[in-house]
Amino acid sequence: SFCTLLAAPMGQGLSAGALTGIGANMALVAAVETTTGRAQIFGASVAAGLAVDIASDVFARKGKLDIEREVILNASDSLKHVYSFYATNEAHPVSKLVRQKHEWIVLESHTHRFYTVQKWPSNGNVAIHASSTLRGACDWGLRAADRPTHGGEIRQYRDDMDFDVPDDLQVAYVIAWARKEDPRWAFSTENSKQFTMRLRFPLHDF
């Protein structure tokens, strides 16, 4: 319903609209002398951003929970480190047009297994896949972004988001977290960046 759309969390469109309004007011400070005029410019920019967010939610792609069997079998595996990677998102036409990034998280365990956790832009699936190498784990992220898997993009990682986790944090915790996530993807309000941010918070504070 329309009320549900308005209640949905707003995202990048609204933020961009607000920043555009502020920037326009600063740029036109000499041309627009009245407070009313400036408020109208800001309001129009915010309204445009809000419209983008609502359109993004309307056309959101709804998927499913996709947890690989090997991940379930290794639910008791103890984790030790969290990596965050990104690549240009070419799996969604609007995201490709605005050069939006696709982000994913790789969890390293004490048994040297790697688990890729991400939300796929092509279908909204919340997915966890297991790999034996960090490169193999990153390939899952590149596939989701519809990028070549041998382009050296393993180096496009957010080193400022790397951190260790306590030894008692198991894969089972991440599986339980993923099962509570809404499997949907919208280029503005519910994309991979919001997804990885939500996952990093509980892992960091565990």
Side-chain angles (χ1 to χ4, degrees), residues 60-68 117-129 175 177-185 190 195:
R61 295 177 176 181
K62 298 182 180 180
K64 63 181 181 179
L65 182 64
D66 179 18
I67 301 178
E68 193 176 36
V117 189
Q118 62 183 331
K119 178 170 284 192
W120 284 60
S122 59
N123 50 32
N125 287 359
V126 173
I128 308 178
H129 291 92
I175 294 174
W177 180 90
R179 283 176 172 159
K180 296 178 181 179
E181 276 292 296
D182 183 15
R184 60 191 300 275
W185 197 95
E190 187 46 58
F195 176 81

Side-chain angles (χ1 to χ4, degrees), residues 2 6 10-22 25 38-56 188-189:
F2 182 72
L6 290 181
M10 294 296 103
Q12 297 177 83
L14 184 60
S15 300
L19 290 175
T20 300
I22 294 172
N25 274 311
R38 292 172 185 170
Q40 288 175 340
I41 292 174
F42 182 78
S45 298
V46 170
L50 186 61
V52 169
D53 284 338
I54 292 176
S56 177
S188 182
T189 61

Side-chain angles (χ1 to χ4, degrees), residues 163-182:
F163 55 91
D164 293 326
V165 293
D167 293 347
D168 56 344
L169 176 57
Q170 298 181 338
V171 173
Y173 176 84
V174 182
I175 294 174
W177 180 90
R179 283 176 172 159
K180 296 178 181 179
E181 276 292 296
D182 183 15

Side-chain angles (χ1 to χ4, degrees), residues 91-112:
H92 187 280
V94 177
S95 297
K96 184 177 181 179
L97 179 66
V98 299
R99 304 286 295 174
Q100 189 181 57
K101 298 293 189 296
H102 172 64
E103 291 191 17
W104 65 94
I105 283 178
V106 176
L107 307 171
E108 182 182 3
S109 74
H110 285 278
T111 58
H112 303 294

Side-chain angles (χ1 to χ4, degrees), residues 22-41:
I22 294 172
N25 274 311
M26 293 176 66
L28 299 174
V29 64
V32 183
E33 298 180 354
T34 66
T35 303
T36 302
R38 292 172 185 170
Q40 288 175 340
I41 292 174

